[in-house]
Amino acid sequence: MVAVCLVDHLCCVTVFCFLQRLSGPQDAGDTESTLNILNVLDELLSAGTDRRIHYMISKGGSESLLMALLNTAQNVPPNYTLLLPILHLLAKVGHRDRRIGVKAEKAEAVLVMLGLLRQNLKDARRAAACLWVIQVFCASVSTATLLGKNRGLDIVFRLIPAHTTKHIRTVKAAIDALAALLRSKVNCRTAVSKGYISGLLKLFADWHSNDTEREHIPIQRALLHCLDHATNTSVGRSALVAEGGIELLFQTTQTCMFTRGMECLVEPAVQLMRKCYPKCALSLSSDQSVYSFPLPGKPLNPWDFVPTSQGDAFEDDSDSDNDNDDENEDAENKDYEDDLETDLESLRQRPQPDRPLEQLGQYVRLCPELHHDFQELASGSESEESSDEDSLLNGDKGDRWARSGRRSSRRHRGSAQTPSSRATRKGHPSSVSNGGGHTTPEEEEEEEQKMKAKDLHSQCLRSHEEGHRSMVDRLLERFGACIPHHDPRLYAAAAASTRSIAGYSILAFPDFWGHLPTKGSECMAVRRPNVQRQKVLQDIQRFLCPEDIINKVVFDMEDPSPQCSSDHKDSLRFFSKFECGNLRKAVQVRRFEYDLILNADVNTSRHHQWFYFEVSGMMANVPYRFNIINCEKSNSQFNYGMQPVLYSVREALEGRPRWVRTGSEICYYRNHFQPTRCERSSCFYTLTFTVTFKHDEDVCYLAYHYPYTYSSLQAHLQMLQRSVDPRKVFFRQQNLCNTLAGNPCPLITITACPTSRSWKSLYQLRNRPCVVLTARVHPGESNASWVMKGSLEFLCSSDPLAQSLREAFIFKIIPMLNPDGVINGTHRCSLSGEDLNRQWNKPDPALSPTIYHAKGFLYYLNSIGRTPLVFCDYHGHSRKKNVFLYGCSVKETLWQSGSSVDTSTLKEDPGYRTIPKTLDRIAPAFSFNSCNYLVEKSRASTARVVVWREIGVLRAYTMESTYNGCDQGIYQGMQMGTWELEEMGAKFCQSLLTLRKSTMLYDSKVISHMSLLDDSPLDHKSHNCFVDDEPPCVEEIEYHSPLTSDPPGKDLDSEVNANMYSSAEDEDKDKDGDKQSPRCRRNRSNDLKSHLFPPLCRPDSLESL
């Protein structure tokens, strides 16, 4: 290693000496010595890596070569024996010098170079050398513009002939030089005005059709590269479309895909077609959400709520990395360095409360355990008799469910019965009451016909009429239902009191009937090679063959008439006007293909990601393609194995009521659609997937992720309260506040009841530390609700660990911070059009009531000396796999930001790492190495940072759960289901026991479980949190052509070397020479090295080095 470094040092010193010699004036008699210097420089710089070249550049090597070029070119006529090696060396060095164009302008060498090219248009060897130098000069846009203004475009374009077998190297150099010139948008516009787009297309077609031996594929690639640069302006793209470029490229692609050796042309051609596909506004009356809501103190003007910048338009989930930064290579450094808080005082100082202490008294009622007298302990009263709903929890669930499944199976065998997928909602009391009495045969026949119908809005809406039993009762009577902690009657009752903007009157069947977790984890989808290319080509065919496109609106939230009239057998039927639903418009493109448009968040025109809709009228075993065409994020886990979820009503009534992952040929890529307002910086992405339904005329539901509605939460809380023993479990549901729409935001208190009313027992209860859990501040993160469901059910269970947790802590749980957003099917915002997880710093009591009162409650706990021991906000993450935590640490933030503060002298309690470490041992889906504890400026108003900084909670976390699955441990390669999410919620609660081990007394059952919290690490192979989870997608999501990122260095070096070692005779035999492979050329180059400048260069001059 030392020897290598010494050789490099000596070489660099030699290079420096030669540079000084080159930069001086050259006499006619110095030709031999100058050639020797150039030869030695070339040998030195060609060996090893680019280190020597960069050293040469740093020492003024580019400037020296430019001076040598000027000194040699000023002779009349120029000495080409000397000039050619200078040009070759300048080309090699120049493409590694990013400022070579600026340096050439400063040295006034640009126009000199163009003049040399004019003088040597008929000498292929010299012209190639001049073209390479011009190409590297164009690394500077200003240099390219200067050349264009001096007719450089015309000169270079004339050097590109139709298909030929002569001077191929020079032709390739001319095309590459033209592509470099077209980096300037001024030159692009000039090229369009002079018809060069048409000329380039004709050249490409000519070379493609006449290159029957497939010998000149690089020429065709270079022409595509040229077209790629020429279409960097809108006029260039329009010109390519007008000249039939898309048709030509499409035909070329079809040929190349099935021709060996031409596959390399397919991807750049496809990317070029995507780039030039004419932009099209979404077929909407407005970008604004269909739903609007009048806000206190603000006029009802939809555009008042549109963000003025794209700052939060593409924010990623919760307080994680900003998704818009994906498009910037330096974004990650920005997130973890520029965005990190570096002010030590800001990190340490606790701000003053945002409200007077007198206002905190209103939260006394939210701590009932501190004031409850527990009279029932003294009276020894038994628990209340269980209601009808309780029998669902205490009966033989498995047998009842099996019987109902067998009954339904028998009834549906051999028939196409499909009961209505929706039941009546509020305004129809009979829908939630028990039906009574006997029915006549005629009534039975009428009901049987109703149960067979495919789409029964009318029957559902008529179910309140006198003499008709409710749809709820008829479904339960016929099929039965027994899903743990779920009762359809309770759900219907809860839904009847839920307030929505649209006044929903229909229930989605999956939410009403319930969901059982899938048996076993589902594998991530395997992406078929080139599936995106196939989908993009199908999209391009829409433009080329518009007569084949149906383009029929089959569902529109703003205009119900298409849905009412879509009884055609050739069309699917869609519906989304139910709680949590989101589908704004459906357009039938082809017989089995549909474009779907999502609705924006209420009072905004953005945040399109969450979808949940009903589809019916399908044929079995037919692949249907669905395209969601107005997604906003620049990448998605759908590119890495994630699938949407599907619920089949037919399957549910046959005993399999569950959401399942579904879809094949899934990909996510940028499309040609744009908002109706045509904002310059806005663009959309397509999520496309194919679904093959199992049953004819089924009613199915498709969703982004497992839905969990507000009404489901309300019904679930009622079931939980009835399931616990009130003598052992203190369970209270209270209303934190009402939302903007008037829906109550529940706050749950769970702890263990004292063993007696003795002073000691009550004292122990009232001195238990608090744990505060929140979830679903972002409505589209339904996985957070499933994790919360797991936490709630575990804390209410009879598990010994759960009992220990209740005896150790008082749990304050707000399971849904944004009920309005969840109800109305938004993705990120509340009805105010704002991200509630960015309002914690100074929440507005009128616009963000749930955040205002949640923060006020935390202030109250802090004011009475009961600051929470742990605060955790449950979220979902759309860009990463696994489950992980974000926390807060002063030392780690300062260290990561590169602050000058000496972190070794700072004292900080490392307890914030205790829970993540425990979870890494006990939770299969958890990834410790994906966690981080950095405090970012852009997250200063999130729950995690505000609770840590203002309330003083050391263990303030955001827990992120993936929408996709895991890439580690026992769940590696599997997608997360509701069972795994609920398990994660239970595991988080279990991890809290490590905080109280030293002060708790355990019974024998608990002791046997505690070893899990200390050892038995799982087989985790986690990720570094500073590295993106996913590699670049196997196919380009954006429009960037691969040719634009191809490194020109090696290709250019090999071409230059071949030109250096060729003679005039070789040029005359160029046809034969260019048939040789590059490998053969390199071998020939090595053989010719000994003959390089034979009369002038002595072999011993190289041997001495």
Side-chain angles (χ1 to χ4, degrees), residues 816-982:
M816 195 170 283
L817 277 168
N818 192 350
D820 289 344
V822 173
I823 293 166
N824 292 287
T826 66
H827 169 63
R828 192 171 186 87
C829 300
S830 68
L831 299 189
S832 65
E834 296 176 329
D835 180 350
L836 290 184
N837 202 37
R838 295 299 187 273
Q839 310 304 315
W840 280 82
N841 202 20
K842 291 183 178 179
D844 188 313
L847 298 178
S848 308
T850 60
I851 304 302
Y852 179 83
H853 290 290
K855 185 179 181 182
F857 177 58
L858 290 166
Y859 270 138
Y860 170 71
L861 292 176
N862 179 257
S863 69
I864 63 172
R866 300 185 59 78
T867 301
L869 182 66
V870 175
F871 171 88
C872 189
D873 191 18
Y874 293 0
H875 283 263
H877 205 293
S878 68
R879 293 174 55 206
K880 290 178 178 288
K881 292 185 173 72
N882 311 310
V883 182
F884 49 94
L885 290 176
Y886 290 140
C888 299
S889 165
V890 173
K891 293 184 72 170
E892 293 196 33
T893 302
L894 293 174
W895 174 78
Q896 183 65 31
S897 66
S899 171
S900 59
V901 177
D902 183 7
T903 56
S904 63
T905 62
L906 295 177
K907 293 183 179 180
E908 184 177 47
D909 186 344
Y912 62 88
R913 282 178 168 260
T914 303
I915 291 176
K917 286 181 178 179
T918 303
L919 285 172
D920 200 47
R921 291 194 294 270
I922 68 173
F926 192 81
S927 169
F928 178 78
N929 285 345
S930 291
C931 302
N932 78 49
Y933 313 93
L934 307 180
V935 181
E936 299 127 317
K937 298 173 186 176
S938 61
R939 319 298 179 212
S941 57
T942 61
R944 165 180 62 101
V945 176
V946 170
V947 172
W948 171 75
R949 178 180 284 156
E950 297 189 28
I951 311 300
V953 179
L954 172 68
R955 299 174 184 85
Y957 302 109
T958 296
M959 184 160 72
E960 301 278 3
S961 300
T962 180
Y963 287 104
N964 186 359
C966 298
D967 55 9
Q968 61 167 26
I970 62 175
Y971 294 153
Q972 184 174 11
M974 301 295 181
Q975 296 182 82
M976 294 277 280
T978 58
W979 191 92
E980 290 78 16
L981 292 168
E982 291 182 47

Side-chain angles (χ1 to χ4, degrees), residues 92 124 148 172 174 491:
K92 283 186 175 183
K172 174 73 161 49
Y491 181 85

Side-chain angles (χ1 to χ4, degrees), residues 423-432 460-465 492-498 503-507:
T424 58
R425 181 173 271 194
K426 65 181 181 180
H428 308 302
S430 63
S431 67
V432 295
C460 289
L461 296 176
R462 288 201 341 255
S463 63
H464 69 286
E465 294 177 5
S497 60
T498 297
Y504 298 135
S505 60
I506 293 171
L507 300 181

Side-chain angles (χ1 to χ4, degrees), residues 1010-1053:
M1010 289 305 295
S1011 60
L1012 293 174
L1013 303 178
D1014 296 316
D1015 45 37
S1016 303
L1018 295 171
D1019 180 23
H1020 282 187
K1021 189 175 182 181
S1022 302
H1023 298 283
N1024 188 316
C1025 66
F1026 302 114
V1027 178
D1028 220 3
D1029 269 1
E1030 308 297 351
C1033 187
V1034 292
E1035 297 184 83
E1036 285 286 339
I1037 300 171
E1038 300 291 336
Y1039 296 152
H1040 311 307
S1041 169
L1043 285 173
T1044 60
S1045 58
D1046 282 346
K1050 292 183 179 179
D1051 290 342
L1052 184 59
D1053 285 352

